[in-house]
Amino acid sequence: MRKELAQKYNHLDIEKDKYQEWVDKGYFTAGDISKKPYSLVIPPPNVTGKLHLGHAWDNTLQDIAIRYQRLLGKDALYLPGMDHAGIATQAKVDERLREQGISRYDLGREGFLNKSWEWKEEYASHIRAQWEKLGISVDYSRERFTLDEGLNKAVNKVFVDLYNDGLIYRGYRIINWDVQAQTALSNIEVEHKEIEGNFFTFEYTVEETGEKLAVSTTRPETMFGDVCIVVHPDDARYQHLIGKHAINPANGEVLPIIADDYIDIEFGTGVMKCTPAHDPNDYEIGKRHHLEMPICMNPDGTMNELAHQFAGLDRFEARKQLVAYIKENGKLISIEKHIHSVGHSERTGVIVEPYLSDQWFVKMQPLAQEVLKFQETDPIKFYPERFNHTFNQWLENIEDWTISRQLWWGHRIPAWFHNETQEVYVGETAPEDIENWTQDPDVLDTWFSSALWPFSTLGWPEQTPDLERYYPTDLLVTGYDIIFFWVARMAFQGRYFTGSKPFKDVLMHGLIRDEHGHKMSKSLGNGVDPMDVIQEFGVDALRYFLTTNSTPGQDMRYVPEKVEASWNFINKIWNASRFVNMHTSDQVYDIEKATLSMVDRHIIHQFNRTLDEVNRNMDKYEYALVGNTLQRFVWDDFCSWYIELSKSGLQSEDETVVYATKATLAHMLKNIVKVLHPFMPFVTEEIYQSMPGSLESINLETWPLMMEIDTDGLEQVTFMIDAISAIRELRVQYDVKPSKPLTAQLLNNKDNDYEFDAILKAMLESMARVTIGTITENPVKQPIQGGSIILLQDELVDQEALLVKLNAEKQRLEAEISRGEKMLANQNFIAKAPAAKVEAEQAKLDEYRRQLDVVLGQIN
C-alpha cells in the first residue's frame, strides 16, 4: 500500500527522520563501479563554530549538483570534511581557557592540543547535525579532517618535496604580523580597510649644516627602528646633503642621508625616513644598501628596549606619547588628517604590523606559471566565465607565500635544527639521533593543508582506488571571496603533485547579504541562523530560495518573504499531489500514447520543452533559471491548467479517456518530483513514496527522459488556454461575475473563425462560461497568441448602470474644473502663491478638462 499524504503540508513532520534513514541505507555511499564516476569535495567548514547562511547556500548548491548526477545514473561521491582552521580555532580555545582562568602556557603544548581536539570533536558534532538538517547527501564513510593522520602524511611529503625542489625556503623578510594572535599572516589573510589616521611631519636637523628637513610618517612609533634618511639622487634640493647626517627627533640618533631611486620627488617633501624592519619598501632599500635592520617592537605589539622611555607601551599609546614628546621639543611641524588603507588581520581584526621575521616561504612564481600554462590547453572552467580572468590575473602577479605560523594548533613544520651546528634537516620523519635536534616550533598555514584537499582526501600520496577513480574531481563550489586563498592554491598544488588540475569546473557564488544589501555580521546584528529558518519554513523552502534567487557569481539578499514564497510553492505542489492521489488508485498506470487526449499530449509536450531547458541550464549550473522554469511549469502548466482541464477527462463516461487522464496525472507528478528532488529532497521523497509502483526511495530513481509525443494540433490547446485566460481577465476588467454567461467569437490570425476540436471547444465553453457564436455589433476584441477573441460589449457592460456612473463622474469633474478656474482667476492667489503652486493648479485643471472630454465621449 502506498503512503497517504497528510491533508496539510507540514514541513516539520515531513523533514523528520528521513535523513538518517537515507544514510543508514547507504544511498549516499559511493563506490558502484558499474557506473561512471562523478566527484565533488566539500569546502571544509572551520571547526570554530556553527554553520551560517553562507554555508547553507554553498552546501545546497553542491548537493543539487550531486543529487542531479546520481539521478543521471552516476556513481556520485560527495566527500565531506572539516578544516582545523589554525589561527581561528586556537583563538577560540584560548578564549575558552581564559574564561576558566587558564592560559595555554599553563597547560603546555601537548595539554593545549588535547583541549583543541576536544573543541574539534564538540564542534564537528554540531556541524554534522547541521549537515543533516540541510539534507546534504555526503558520504560519511569517507569523511576527512585537515589535521588527520592521512592529511598530515600528505602535508609532510608536500613540504619536503617542495623544499628539496628549491621551492620552499627559510629567510628574513618583511611579513604581515598579527600582534594579537602573534603569528605571521600571508598577504591574502590581510583585509585592507580605509580608516582615518594622521600624517605627522617632523623636523630633522642636518648635523653638519644645521639645515632643517621636513620628514613625514603615519607611524611615528617606528622611528626607533630608523637607520637612515633617504632622498632621490636627482633631487637638486638635497644633492648637497647626500653623505651627511640628520638627527632623529625621536631618540637623538644620528642617521646617514642616502640616495635611492625609490623616492618620489613629487610626493611630500621628497625626504623619507627608512625603517627596514617595519616596512616592506624600506626593507628593499635596506637590502640594496646593506643597512642594519633593527626591530623596535615586541611580537605582542608593545615597544621594546630601542624605544627607551616608551619601552613596554602598546604601539599606539607609544605613538601618542612620542608625538607629544617631539612637540615639547619643538620638532613637530604639523599633524594632518589622513584617510589611508590599513591592513587588518582577517582572523582577529587587529591592525597588522609589517614586521621583519625569520619565516618559511613558498616560491610561487614557478608553481603559478605551471597552472597558467595549462589554463590554455586543459583549463579549469569557471562559472561565470569572468572569474577565469580574475584567477589568471592573480597568478600572473603572485608573490611568495609565507607559510609558517607561530601557533600550536596545526601541522608542525617537518624541519629540525641541530642543537650545536644549527644545521637544518627537513624530512618526512624525524632525524635518527633526535636527541641532538630540536623541531621547528611553528606550524603551517591552514591553507597549506587545505590546498591539498581534492587529492589528499582521496588517499594521496598513496595510489588508492578512490584517487584513481574520483580524481580529478568534477566540480568545486565556493564563494568568490576565497578564489585566491583556496582555489588558486589547490590548482598549483594539484598540478605540481598529481600532474592534473584538481577539478574540472568551478562554480563561484557570492555573499549573502541582508534584505537591505548589507553584509551580514555579528556587529550589525543582522545575521540569520539557517537552523531558525528551517524551523520556521523548512529546509526544502530554504534550499529552493537559496538556489533560485541568485545567478552564479552574484551576491544574494536574504528576504524572508521570498523564503515564505518558496514554502507556498511547495504547498502548491503538495495540494496538487493530493489531488492526483485522490483520483488515482493503487494501481500502476502505463501511458498508452494512442489513447491520450489532446490535453494529455499537450502537458507531456510542455514538460518535454521544460525538461530540455532544465537540462541545458543544470549543466551550466544556472540553478536560478532552472528554478524559474520549473516553477512556471509546475504552478501554471500543471497545477493551474492541466489539473483543471483533467477534471473533464476524469468525469468522462469513456473508461479509456479516464484511464489515460489518470495515467498522465501519475506520470507527470512522478516526473515533477524527480526534477525537483535535487532542490527539495524531503518533500519530494514524501510525495514519491505516496505513489504506486515507486522504488524504495526517490534516491534510487533516474532523471526523467522526454517522451516522444504526437504534437499535431497541440496549438489548439494553447489557444484554448489563452482564450480562457483572456476572457477571465476581461470579466475582471469589466467587473462581470464569473458565473454570468457570455457570448464569444474566436478568430484565427486571418480573422476567420478558429477551427476548433469539438472536445476543446466544449471545455472552453464550460470553463470560460461562454457560448461560441458570431458577434457583429459592439464587439470587444482581445488579441491572443494565434488569433483573437471577441466578446459582446452589451453583455460585458450594464449600460444603464454605466450611464449613472459616468454622469456622477461628469458632475465631479465639472465641480473640480469650476473650483480650479475660480482659483486661477483670483489675482490675489496668483500674486501671493509660489510659482510652483500656481503651475500645479493649472496642471490639475488641464487634467480634469481632459478627463471630462473622455467621460463625455463615453456618455455619447
Side-chain angles (χ1 to χ4, degrees), residues 335-509:
I335 302 176
E336 299 171 24
K337 290 294 178 190
H338 179 58
I339 303 294
H340 60 150
S341 180
V342 176
H344 290 69
S345 168
E346 184 216 16
R347 294 298 182 190
T348 63
V350 299
I351 291 178
V352 167
E353 193 64 40
Y355 202 74
L356 182 63
S357 184
D358 194 12
Q359 302 286 344
W360 292 93
F361 298 88
V362 176
K363 286 183 184 175
M364 292 302 303
Q365 202 164 25
L367 295 167
Q369 288 303 316
E370 188 73 2
V371 175
L372 286 167
K373 181 178 76 177
F374 280 100
Q375 279 301 97
E376 296 177 6
T377 57
D378 182 27
I380 297 167
K381 292 181 182 176
F382 285 85
Y383 295 84
E385 195 177 337
R386 68 176 183 275
F387 284 103
N388 188 63
H389 174 71
T390 307
F391 178 71
N392 289 349
Q393 193 173 41
W394 188 72
L395 289 172
E396 287 163 1
N397 297 284
I398 204 162
E399 297 176 354
D400 285 359
W401 173 17
T402 319
I403 54 171
S404 43
R405 297 290 180 271
Q406 289 63 54
L407 304 169
W408 287 353
W409 176 243
H411 290 278
R412 190 84 175 263
I413 290 177
W416 288 260
F417 302 98
H418 195 277
N419 295 336
E420 293 182 7
T421 66
Q422 289 304 299
E423 175 193 349
V424 179
Y425 165 81
V426 172
E428 293 181 57
T429 56
E432 290 182 8
D433 56 334
I434 187 64
E435 67 278 3
N436 296 319
W437 299 81
T438 300
Q439 187 174 2
D440 192 315
D442 291 351
V443 300
L444 287 161
D445 177 11
T446 299
W447 297 104
F448 192 91
S449 51
S450 55
L452 316 179
W453 190 247
F455 52 94
S456 62
T457 51
L458 295 170
W460 187 92
E462 305 300 325
Q463 289 303 307
T464 64
D466 273 3
L467 185 67
E468 185 178 346
R469 180 164 176 76
Y470 299 111
Y471 187 82
T473 60
D474 289 272
L475 175 65
L476 174 75
V477 180
T478 190
Y480 62 61
D481 53 330
I482 58 170
I483 189 169
F484 312 130
F485 284 91
W486 194 42
V487 180
R489 286 170 174 170
M490 285 188 287
F492 69 70
Q493 295 287 42
R495 277 289 175 203
Y496 197 78
F497 287 98
T498 71
S500 166
K501 57 189 176 186
F503 23 74
K504 298 165 188 172
D505 294 347
V506 179
L507 172 59
M508 308 298 296
H509 61 79

Side-chain angles (χ1 to χ4, degrees), residues 483-549:
I483 189 169
F484 312 130
F485 284 91
W486 194 42
V487 180
R489 286 170 174 170
M490 285 188 287
F492 69 70
Q493 295 287 42
R495 277 289 175 203
Y496 197 78
F497 287 98
T498 71
S500 166
K501 57 189 176 186
F503 23 74
K504 298 165 188 172
D505 294 347
V506 179
L507 172 59
M508 308 298 296
H509 61 79
L511 304 174
I512 292 195
R513 301 180 178 275
D514 68 15
E515 57 189 310
H516 305 295
H518 301 132
K519 188 175 178 180
M520 290 185 174
S521 68
K522 286 181 181 176
S523 59
L524 291 174
N526 62 348
V528 175
D529 186 340
M531 298 303 114
D532 292 341
V533 182
I534 290 169
Q535 180 67 24
E536 185 176 2
F537 296 111
V539 70
D540 284 331
L542 175 61
R543 285 170 62 115
Y544 195 73
F545 160 75
L546 288 172
T547 49
T548 58
N549 278 274

Side-chain angles (χ1 to χ4, degrees), residues 300-328:
D300 64 355
T302 58
M303 306 306 294
N304 66 17
E305 66 279 358
L306 289 183
H308 303 299
Q309 71 266 38
F310 306 106
L313 290 178
D314 172 76
R315 54 187 168 157
F316 299 123
E317 179 58 29
R319 176 187 298 178
K320 181 180 170 184
Q321 293 193 25
L322 174 61
V323 171
Y325 168 79
I326 294 174
K327 183 179 181 180
E328 262 182 52

Side-chain angles (χ1 to χ4, degrees), residues 619-652:
D619 293 337
K620 293 187 294 184
Y621 314 109
E622 291 281 4
Y623 298 140
L625 296 180
V626 171
N628 293 335
T629 300
L630 288 175
Q631 186 156 346
R632 187 170 59 245
F633 171 79
V634 173
W635 195 295
D636 297 338
D637 294 335
F638 184 69
C639 296
S640 296
W641 284 110
Y642 182 69
I643 282 181
E644 189 172 356
L645 294 168
S646 72
K647 293 171 185 175
S648 173
L650 292 170
Q651 293 162 7
S652 174

